[in-house]
């Protein structure tokens, strides 16, 4: 049952909350917002807080980019979804809610990523599909030293020693997530020095995006406020050390949420249902453009390299960690529930609403056109012959942010789906970022991303 405004106010009082953050994620992937005090909560939950249209015209580098329609004239409202209320366990008396950005007529003002995702959900529903997803979040724990910011809690990768060194922070993160109703499935000492991963339970896509933002805030808040360390969700925070992904695991269900439509017991070695294969084919066709939404930062492209398990080509395979789209093998005894697709070309510098909305539009295009994917990659694409690569339809992904943005602008499905203002804003905001970051040294450019997400 969705929470009512009265229930949120009552809960906030019971929780001893004094300050409520009204948050939204902007087109640059930054979580921004305003604080509201408890006395004003009831009215602000209805009317939202005012923000200037130009607030979304600020990019990652805090450049105020001139975008027509997003001038510093005119106000919009950040209106919370009551269901997103949760306390912030790393701070006393504080909670947060996530907002839609609406015009005075209470509709998307044209640049609301959360509304964009809702539109994609409705599109999928018109074809009888309900998309469920979870982001698998990787991040680095780090500390500031006289020599700069360096990884912290290093241990042999995947090791119990690494777990011990990170335990003080990781245990607090897991319990802070659980206090917010976010069920943690696995917490891993990942491959990089000080790199960690947290996998949470899947949910409908809107909730999955909301939870990913809550997770980013929680990891950063617990690490910085409670432990005086640094957490970085940048895609490639350190030159020497693998990147951090936010792999999207997703599955397609019927509208009642009873049947996983990816699963077809008769499919045999075709692995996926016909619907699943068409959705996959759509994602692969649009992937070069989609990464401008899923791996949108300058730093993202440093991660998308061969040999890093991050995906660097248009490719798919069964449990193939070098294929950008992986069909994850189902678990014994719960085959139908557990079969899912994993998009590896996604990182936490994304706006999760844009990433999931783009993914859905790409896949639905494949479904509408009854597309069929090429042969799966049965080996690491980098080790295949040219002929094998051609058979599997393997081609490179854009290598730079500029190339990714050009692919997005040229995509006949994804770009129009964003809507006129949002599409134009992304190109302008990101284009300015790309230009400025291209002019920096690689170290400076990397550092510019380290503490943003
Ligand atoms: N760190 C890798 C990435 O950037 C993923 C490693 C894994 O498969 O978990 O996506
Ligand atoms: Mg991982």
């Amino acid at each position: 049952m969705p929470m009512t405004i009265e229930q949120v106010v009552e809960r906030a009082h019971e929780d001893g909350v004094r300050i409520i953050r009204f948050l939204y994620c902007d087109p640059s992937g930054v979580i921004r917002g305003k604080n509201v005090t408890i006395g004003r909560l009831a009215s602000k939950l209805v009317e939202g807080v005012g923000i200037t249209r130009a607030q979304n015209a600020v990019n990652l580098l805090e450049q105020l980019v001139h975008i027509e329609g997003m001038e510093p004239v005119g106000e919009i409202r950040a209106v919370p979804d009551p269901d997103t209320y949760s306390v912030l366990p790393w701070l006393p008396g504080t909670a947060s809610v996530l907002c839609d950005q609406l015009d005075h007529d209470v509709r998307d003002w044209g640049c609301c990523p959360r509304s964009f995702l809702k539109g994609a959900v409705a599109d999928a529903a018109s074809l009888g599909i309900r998309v469920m997803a979870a982001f698998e979040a990787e991040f680095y724990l780090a500390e500031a030293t006289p020599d700069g910011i360096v990884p912290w809690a290093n241990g042999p990768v995947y090791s119990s020693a690494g777990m011990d060194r990170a335990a003080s922070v990781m245990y607090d993160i897991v319990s802070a997530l659980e206090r917010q109703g976010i069920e943690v499935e696995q917490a891993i000492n990942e491959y990089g020095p000080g790199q960690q991963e947290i996998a949470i339970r899947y949910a409908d896509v809107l909730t999955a995006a909301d939870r990913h933002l809550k997770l980013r805030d929680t990891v950063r808040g617990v690490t910085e406020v409670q432990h005086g360390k640094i957490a970085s969700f940048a895609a490639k925070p350190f030159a020497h050390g693998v990147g951090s992904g936010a792999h999207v695991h997703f599955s397609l269900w019927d509208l009642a949420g009873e049947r996983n439509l990816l699963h077809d017991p008769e499919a045999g070695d075709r692995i996926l249902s016909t619907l699943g294969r068409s959705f996959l084919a759509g994602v692969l066709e649009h992937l070069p453009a989609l990464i401008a939404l899923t791996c949108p930062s300058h730093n993202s492209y440093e991660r998308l390299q061969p040999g890093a398990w991050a995906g660097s080509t248009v490719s798919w395979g069964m449990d193939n960690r070098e294929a950008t789209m992986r069909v994850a093998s189902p678990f014994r005894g719960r085959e139908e529930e557990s079969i899912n697709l994993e998009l590896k070309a996604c990182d936490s510098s994304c706006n999760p609403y844009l990433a999931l909305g783009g993914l859905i539009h790409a896949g639905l295009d494949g479904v509408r056109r009854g597309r069929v994917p090429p042969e799966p990659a049965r080996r690491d694409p980098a080790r295949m012959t040219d002929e094998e690569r051609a058979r599997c339809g393997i081609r490179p992904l854009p290598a730079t942010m500029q190339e990714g943005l050009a692919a997005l602008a040229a995509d006949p499905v994804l770009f129009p789906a964003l809507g006129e203002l949002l599409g134009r804003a992304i190109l302008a905001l990101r284009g300015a970022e790309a230009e400025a970051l291209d002019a920096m040294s690689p170290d400076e450019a990397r550092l510019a991303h380290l503490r943003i997400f």
Side-chain angles (χ1 to χ4, degrees):
M1 280 290 278
M3 292 250 282
T4 63
I5 285 173
E6 293 70 34
Q7 284 167 332
V8 173
V9 176
E10 204 180 302
R11 278 250 323 257
H13 280 287
E14 278 167 19
D15 292 335
V17 162
R18 309 292 312 153
I19 302 282
I20 303 90
R21 291 182 185 173
F22 278 39
L23 301 176
Y24 61 91
C25 187
D26 76 5
S28 300
V30 182
I31 306 173
R32 303 189 199 269
K34 285 186 172 177
N35 284 325
V36 165
T37 50
I38 185 81
R40 303 291 296 145
L41 181 61
S43 59
K44 288 293 163 200
L45 282 169
V46 178
E47 60 197 36
V49 293
I51 48 179
T52 170
R53 296 166 81 94
Q55 207 149 312
N56 278 282
V58 176
N59 68 10
L60 194 73
L61 302 174
E62 286 162 20
Q63 296 168 312
L64 179 57
V65 180
H66 175 72
I67 300 168
E68 222 160 291
M70 295 171 77
E71 291 91 357
V73 180
E75 285 269 305
I76 52 165
R77 303 280 181 250
V79 183
D81 179 338
D83 279 342
T84 62
Y85 168 88
S86 71
V87 292
L88 306 184
W90 63 95
L91 286 170
T94 312
S96 77
V97 281
L98 295 167
C99 301
D100 291 326
Q101 294 185 53
L102 305 176
D103 220 326
H104 298 284
D105 61 1
V106 203
R107 296 210 183 140
D108 175 9
W109 72 289
C111 202
C112 171
R114 201 166 183 271
S115 300
F116 167 69
L117 178 55
K118 287 183 188 175
V121 168
D123 245 30
S126 72
L127 297 180
I129 299 171
R130 178 172 175 202
V131 188
M132 306 292 281
F135 288 91
E136 197 175 273
E138 293 177 336
F139 55 93
Y140 273 84
L141 295 177
E143 64 184 340
T145 72
D147 298 328
I149 297 174
V150 298
W152 175 77
N154 308 349
V157 301
Y158 306 129
S159 69
S160 53
M163 290 180 203
D164 276 344
R165 284 166 206 160
S168 57
V169 175
M170 289 294 279
Y171 284 23
D172 282 350
I173 290 172
V174 170
S175 66
L177 288 168
E178 289 187 333
R179 272 193 61 200
Q180 295 172 84
I182 298 174
E183 189 187 332
V184 174
E185 292 200 333
Q186 288 188 31
I188 301 172
N189 187 228
E190 254 292 355
Y191 188 76
Q195 193 187 30
Q196 315 294 325
E197 171 180 311
I198 293 182
I200 60 172
R201 180 98 185 129
Y202 69 87
D204 67 89
V205 280
L206 193 65
T207 307
D210 290 339
R211 285 189 183 159
H212 186 60
L213 294 177
K214 294 259 175 187
L215 180 140
R216 271 172 47 190
D217 262 356
T218 303
V219 168
R220 195 212 51 249
V222 168
T223 308
E224 286 192 12
V225 177
Q226 290 187 301
H227 294 271
K229 301 292 179 200
I230 292 168
S232 179
F233 280 95
K236 184 81 163 81
F238 300 109
H240 308 289
V242 294
S244 292
H247 301 177
V248 186
H249 286 264
F250 66 95
S251 46
L252 312 177
W253 292 72
D254 63 354
L255 294 182
E258 282 165 3
R259 254 177 17 88
N260 183 349
L261 306 175
L262 291 181
H263 183 245
D264 176 1
E266 314 281 279
D269 61 1
R270 280 172 45 248
I271 305 167
L272 287 172
S273 65
T274 304
L275 176 82
R277 290 165 66 78
S278 291
F279 195 97
L280 167 67
V283 176
L284 291 171
E285 279 180 35
H286 294 286
L287 200 54
L290 180 62
I291 64 164
L293 302 177
T294 56
C295 302
S297 60
H298 194 269
N299 185 239
S300 298
Y301 291 87
E302 285 202 63
R303 165 179 168 258
L304 297 174
Q305 300 296 329
W309 299 1
S312 58
T313 53
V314 176
S315 52
W316 77 285
M318 181 75 191
D319 279 340
N320 184 338
R321 303 244 169 202
E322 277 293 332
T324 305
M325 289 292 297
R326 172 170 85 108
V327 182
S329 48
F331 284 95
R332 189 151 33 91
R334 53 182 191 99
E335 285 77 5
E336 176 176 341
E337 187 209 339
S338 59
I339 188 163
N340 68 85
L341 289 165
E342 178 185 31
L343 169 65
K344 297 175 83 68
C346 183
D347 67 62
S348 287
S349 68
C350 74
N351 176 310
Y353 307 113
L354 297 181
L356 288 175
L359 175 70
I360 293 171
H361 282 296
L364 293 183
D365 183 50
V367 172
R368 286 199 176 98
R369 295 191 297 125
R371 303 296 291 162
V372 176
E375 258 183 50
R378 294 196 170 81
R379 300 199 297 135
D380 177 348
R383 296 182 193 282
M384 288 178 166
T385 62
D386 287 347
E387 194 226 315
E388 279 175 307
R389 270 194 286 268
R391 231 184 15 244
C392 298
I394 293 174
R395 50 197 171 115
L397 286 172
T400 64
M401 191 175 180
Q402 304 274 21
E403 279 178 39
L405 289 171
L408 178 65
D411 191 282
V413 172
L414 293 191
F415 194 62
L418 288 165
E420 200 278 322
L421 183 57
L422 181 55
R424 194 158 46 79
I426 290 171
L427 297 185
L429 290 162
R430 293 297 193 180
E433 247 169 68
E435 199 180 312
L437 288 158
D438 277 347
M440 294 183 194
S441 72
D443 283 347
E444 275 175 337
R446 210 175 293 114
L447 196 59
H449 295 79
L450 205 122
R451 300 193 69 178
I452 301 282
F453 309 107

